Amino acid sequence: MIEYEIEPIPGLPGRLPPGERVLWQGQPAFGVLARSAFHTGAVAAYFAALVALALIGRAPTGAVLTTIAGVAGVGLLYLLAWVCARTTRYTLTNKRLVLRIGMAVPKCINLPLSQIVAVDFRARPHDTGDLVIRLDRARGVGYALLWPHARAWRFNNPQPMLRAVPEAARVGMLLARTVQAAQGGGALSPVTGPQAATSGGKAVAA
């Protein structure tokens, strides 16, 4: 795990050593990230229910104030999601998976492919999805360090997550195959979810 100030290669804290090459890079889809990680839909529904209750109770002033608060709150969440998407870059090489994350304090988290024991796929709208990375328990990383790029409620054994990835099923298959190749065709659990091939985001020729 390395904090960085300058990126010689976008998304990476330093130049690649000999024999390592970038296979794929991608960023979260902003709208899907806002709804899935920042729960903008649930927050909007909550404020809509409050407005409805205010109208039922014949409190138009309260309904207007609640509407304003709701619009401001959802707008703030969308802003945070936009900043999060802009400051995030996922990079897969033939040696490691790198998460460049952090809205306030940028950091790069290096996950050697030898530490990955499984890749799980969760479909999202618009051909996007989340890729949950299950790691060797002894080498996990902190939940607070990862959030929102972590599977929810896994505090004791945090699982990094590539969120709202475009063409996620295809990227997941690429990741799984790369991990298997790096581990010599070892015991990586298969990607769960739709079967597909090739990468999403920006693929880099080997």
Side-chain angles (χ1 to χ4, degrees):
M1 290 167 280
I2 303 173
E3 294 186 2
Y4 69 96
E5 296 180 357
I6 300 174
E7 292 180 326
I9 300 174
L12 295 173
R15 298 195 179 278
L16 295 177
E20 186 173 7
R21 62 189 184 278
V22 174
L23 303 178
W24 170 84
Q25 287 190 312
Q27 293 179 280
F30 152 64
V32 178
L33 181 68
R35 292 186 293 273
S36 62
F38 292 86
H39 307 291
T40 53
V43 173
Y46 171 75
F47 277 101
L50 292 181
V51 170
L53 289 175
L55 292 175
I56 291 172
R58 297 185 179 183
T61 301
V64 171
L65 293 176
T66 302
T67 299
I68 294 172
V71 170
V74 173
L76 178 60
L77 291 176
Y78 268 103
L79 176 61
L80 289 174
W82 179 81
V83 173
C84 183
R86 293 272 296 184
T87 56
T88 296
R89 186 180 294 267
Y90 306 128
T91 302
L92 173 65
T93 78
N94 60 322
K95 301 291 186 181
R96 56 183 163 154
L97 179 64
V98 183
L99 283 66
R100 192 260 271 148
I101 59 177
M103 291 181 280
V105 181
K107 62 187 75 71
C108 279
I109 297 177
N110 292 297
L111 303 175
L113 300 186
S114 60
Q115 293 184 10
I116 298 176
V117 298
V119 180
D120 297 329
F121 171 76
R122 179 184 301 163
R124 296 290 185 186
H126 310 299
D127 197 29
T128 66
D130 301 331
L131 297 173
V132 179
I133 312 301
R134 284 193 266 158
L135 301 172
D136 180 341
R137 177 180 290 272
R139 299 187 179 185
V141 291
Y143 186 90
L145 183 69
L146 287 169
W147 192 89
H149 311 275
R151 186 175 181 180
W153 313 116
R154 298 299 178 101
F155 301 114
N156 293 331
N157 184 31
Q159 296 177 357
M161 178 185 290
L162 311 188
R163 281 193 174 271
V165 175
E167 301 182 57
R170 303 169 70 181
V171 176
M173 293 302 296
L174 174 66
L175 174 57
R177 290 168 180 161
T178 304
V179 173
Q180 286 176 326
Q183 296 178 356
L188 176 75
S189 299
V191 173
T192 57
Q195 305 224 345
T198 74
S199 64
K202 181 176 68 177
V204 181

